[in-house]
Structure formats: C-alpha cells, structure tokens
Amino acid sequence: LNAALSAAAADIRAKRGVVDLVVLQADLPAMQPSELTEAVAAARSGGRSVVVDHHGTGTSALFACGESALDPRFGPESARDMLIQVLVHSTANGRDCAPTSIPTPISTPCAHWE
C-alpha cells in the first residue's frame, strides 16, 4: 500500500506539479465535506498532517500539501510513526503543532496535528 501510494503521489505531481495530496481511509462515513475542507486548510498551514483513528493507533487520513512529501507509513502503529514524522517535519520548519479534531467513523474526535 505504501509503495503504491508513493508511486501515485510521484505520478500525480510529475503530471500536475505542486498539488495538495490527501489519502483517506474508505471507512469515514461520518466525515462531512466541510470537515474535509477544514482539514485540508489546516494541513496547508503546516504542509503535512495526519488524522489518527478512534483507537489511537491507526491513521484515518494523511495530508501532504504544497511541496511536502507524502511518505505514507500505513501498517501496524501507523499513527505513532506518522505523528513522529509530522512532528519532526513541523519542528524542522519552525512550526508549533496544535491539536484540533475531525470525526472518525463513529463520530468521536481524534487527534489531528499540523
């Protein structure tokens, strides 16, 4: 999955230039279009964002905006791996990471980090 997502991201950016990339899990029926718009806007301010699932271990969404690399790491404990990655990216670029929320499949708030 990670290799396929990375290849797709590279292909899209090779054809379209700098674009925002979003990877969403298929099981987000509670998500409203306005929430997705809000999440993309928040991701743009930091370049990369991740939405953790309601269990706190998986990833519901991954955002790579502007020139930020997608670098997906889906799999066991993906939330931990991707949060560390996003925090390192944000810190390296002088940004503070602030939490907000977005509904998960069962409409429970989960962590979203710039």
Side-chain angles (χ1 to χ4, degrees), residues 64-87:
C65 298
E67 295 182 9
S68 296
L70 186 65
D71 196 12
R73 298 182 185 199
F74 289 95
E77 300 297 324
S78 66
R80 181 197 67 218
D81 294 345
M82 286 199 259
L83 281 172
I84 290 169
Q85 179 189 41
V86 169
L87 290 170

Side-chain angles (χ1 to χ4, degrees), residues 24-72:
L24 295 174
Q25 294 296 331
D27 64 346
L28 295 172
M31 179 180 263
Q32 298 298 310
S34 61
E35 294 164 337
L36 178 58
T37 301
E38 188 178 314
V40 171
R44 284 183 179 143
S45 69
R48 294 182 44 77
S49 291
V50 62
V51 178
V52 178
D53 70 10
H54 67 280
H55 297 292
T57 59
T59 304
S60 293
L62 174 62
F63 301 84
C65 298
E67 295 182 9
S68 296
L70 186 65
D71 196 12

Side-chain angles (χ1 to χ4, degrees), residues 1 4 13 16 19 24 30 36 40-41 43 56 60 84-85 90 106 108:
L1 174 64
R13 286 193 169 156
R16 297 187 179 235
V19 295
L24 295 174
L36 178 58
V40 171
S60 293
I84 290 169
Q85 179 189 41
S90 296
I106 57 170
T108 334

